[in-house]
Structure formats: structure tokens, C-alpha cells
Amino acid sequence: QCNNIKHIFIGHGDSDKTASAHKYFRVYDENWVASEAHIDRFRNEKFDFSGLKSIKVGRANLFEILKSTDGINWKNRFNNIKLLYLSTWEGVYLEQNYTSVYMLEDLFKVLKSIENIDLKIKLHPALGRRDLELLHSNEKAKKLAIENNIQCEVFEKTKLIDELIIESNIFICDISAVVSECLAANAPIFVYIPRDKDIKLSQSNMSFEDYTYTFSSYIELEKKLTKVVNGDDYLKNNREKAMKYILGKKETLYNKFISELQGINYV
């Protein structure tokens, strides 16, 4: 029995995966969330979360990225396209397999058509845990980069994602919390949505389609990526809205997380 202790949940990120609004959250007194999006996930769930107090604290780990990219057009940050590819892994169960690594060869075909591109790849550290064929994806990516004559760096799992995000101005991701990490850079994000399975998400009031360029095939990716690179970044305004709604941009820049920590009564 620890009823005299206040239990606070602090997540590792912000994601529309079902784990973001699981009924187990009800064991906590408070749920510290980035912003309104996570609160809406609870409101939209079938479970009763009425007893859970949610406090918006922003994303403290994204402070430097938000600060350094605030008000700067993504094309003006660098003199070329610096694209970062961040995959997820194949999941514990087959229905949770949202990774785009299976279409790695097609991905390189698309990127080969983009001029003046600098590619960075950071695959999920758990990739290959369930599907052993994916264990050698880093080596495969390096080989494909050479074959397609693309300047490319492939990073091991120890590399910090925040360091890569701040050095990039276009992102390709899968359904995972890393999408919100990339959102902090206020640059175009392309998200792979598998069409061969029923995707179960915890729904906020802003979907991936609202602020990212979703694709389910390399043909769709090529079409949308080419359009954006050539100047038609038609989701720009929605990204800025998502930074407030999902990340809590204001709360982050005003260090709300630190102030909430300082306000805790430790007696």
C-alpha cells in the first residue's frame, strides 16, 4: 500500500499508438502530457479516465530543436536536402508491424530521383527482434546507398535521435512516437501507412493526414516528395498547428516541465 505517495506518469514521447491511452493509466494520480492531443486521446477512448488528472508540460527534450528552428523556413536551414529516415520495428505482434524497412530498395529508388540530397538513416534499435531477416538492414542500407550513388550515413542504435533531427530538414518515418520528435523541426514529414492491415490507434483530434504527407507505396512517396521539394509544402500551416496541439510548443519553450517538477511537494 502506497496511498500516501503521489504517482505521476511521464511518458517517453507522444504517439497515436494504442499504448498511449491504455486503461492502466488509471493507476496514476496524474498524467503529465505534452499538450492537448494526449488529453483528447483519453477523451476519445472507451475507458473511463475521469479520475485521471492530466497536466500539460510540453516536451522538455525537444526544447533545443524547437528553439533553433522557430520561425526558420526548413529550406533555408541548409543549402541542400538533408533527409532523415527513421523506421520503427516490426512490433511484438504481426498486427503491430508498421515498419517500412521491407520497402528499403524502393525507398532508395525514390531518393535517387531527388537532386542534391544528403541521406541519414537511423533504424529502430529493436528491428529484427521478431523478424530475423531484418537484423542486417543497416548493412543492406549501406549497400543500396553505394549502388544508387547516394551520399548516406547509416547510424547504429546508440546514436541519439535528437542530434540527427536538428541536422535534418525532411523526414521519412513510420507510425511511432518519432513522428512527434520530428515535428519539432517544423519541416516536412512523410509517414508510411501500411494498407494491408487494420491499424488500431488511440485517436487524438488531429490525424497523421492533417500534418504529415502519408504514403503507402513508393510511387505515392515519390509523387508527394517531389511536390514538396519543388516548393509545394501545402501542409506547412497544419504542421505549425500540430506543434502547439501535439508538442505543447509554448509549454516547452517556457520550461513548464521544470516548473511542475519544482512545484511537487516532496514531504
Side-chain angles (χ1 to χ4, degrees):
Q1 294 290 332
C2 299
N3 294 334
N4 61 319
I5 300 175
K6 178 184 285 188
H7 297 81
I8 300 173
F9 178 84
I10 303 174
H12 77 286
D14 192 281
S15 170
D16 279 338
K17 286 186 175 180
T18 53
S20 295
H22 193 274
K23 61 182 179 181
Y24 190 77
F25 279 89
R26 293 182 295 189
V27 306
Y28 297 96
D29 298 298
E30 294 179 0
N31 182 29
W32 287 16
V33 300
S35 194
E36 198 69 22
H38 205 158
I39 297 175
D40 282 339
R41 292 190 190 102
F42 289 115
R43 289 171 179 158
N44 297 337
E45 262 293 345
K46 60 183 178 181
F47 306 113
D48 181 15
F49 292 103
S50 57
L52 177 62
K53 183 179 180 180
S54 294
I55 298 177
K56 293 187 283 187
V57 296
R59 290 289 305 277
N61 68 307
L62 299 179
F63 176 86
E64 291 299 332
I65 299 176
L66 283 167
K67 184 179 178 181
S68 64
T69 61
D70 188 28
I72 304 175
N73 185 281
W74 63 273
K75 273 201 165 184
N76 296 334
R77 288 177 58 203
F78 308 103
N79 58 11
N80 66 328
I81 300 298
K82 292 187 176 293
L83 191 149
L84 176 59
Y85 172 52
L86 297 167
S87 79
T88 190
W89 69 301
E90 63 274 23
V92 178
Y93 306 107
L94 182 61
E95 59 267 24
Q96 296 174 332
N97 190 352
Y98 304 148
T99 184
S100 58
V101 173
Y102 294 104
M103 55 184 293
L104 202 56
E105 292 184 14
D106 290 329
L107 175 65
F108 272 91
K109 289 179 183 178
V110 173
L111 300 182
K112 187 177 181 179
S113 66
I114 305 298
E115 294 183 3
N116 198 21
I117 187 171
D118 180 5
L119 174 64
K120 291 181 173 62
I121 295 178
K122 171 72 163 59
L123 304 181
H124 195 285
L127 190 69
R129 182 174 295 178
R130 187 172 59 81
D131 187 347
L132 297 180
E133 291 185 5
L134 300 180
L135 281 175
H136 304 292
S137 295
N138 272 4
E139 291 74 15
K140 182 178 181 180
K142 294 174 183 178
K143 182 180 178 181
L144 287 169
I146 295 173
E147 292 175 353
N148 290 279
N149 195 28
I150 295 178
Q151 183 176 340
C152 175
E153 289 183 84
V154 181
F155 294 91
E156 300 300 324
K157 60 183 179 181
T158 54
K159 181 67 175 180
L160 296 178
I161 288 180
D162 289 0
E163 296 176 1
L164 296 175
I165 290 175
I166 205 167
E167 297 170 354
S168 307
N169 60 358
I170 284 187
F171 306 93
I172 297 178
C173 309
D174 300 328
I175 297 173
S176 71
V178 80
V179 176
S180 60
E181 307 281 322
C182 297
L183 185 58
N186 194 16
I189 306 169
F190 296 79
V191 177
Y192 173 62
I193 308 292
R195 295 300 186 201
D196 60 345
K197 55 175 58 69
D198 181 23
I199 299 174
K200 297 179 181 179
L201 301 175
S202 58
Q203 299 291 345
S204 67
N205 294 340
M206 199 171 200
S207 68
F208 285 123
E209 288 82 0
D210 293 330
Y211 63 97
T212 71
Y213 299 96
T214 60
F215 68 97
S216 299
S217 68
Y218 77 93
I219 295 175
E220 190 176 9
L221 172 62
E222 183 172 31
K223 181 179 179 180
K224 292 184 177 182
L225 181 59
T226 302
K227 191 172 186 177
V228 170
V229 169
N230 288 336
D232 189 6
D233 180 17
Y234 56 90
L235 292 178
K236 178 180 182 296
N237 292 336
N238 280 13
R239 272 200 313 274
E240 293 175 354
K241 293 178 182 177
M243 290 170 72
K244 298 176 182 177
Y245 176 66
I246 297 173
L247 300 183
K249 180 178 179 180
K250 181 178 71 174
E251 289 84 359
T252 302
L253 293 178
Y254 281 92
N255 289 311
K256 184 72 184 303
F257 179 72
I258 302 299
S259 63
E260 288 293 339
L261 282 178
Q262 293 171 338
I264 294 177
N265 183 1
Y266 293 99
V267 178

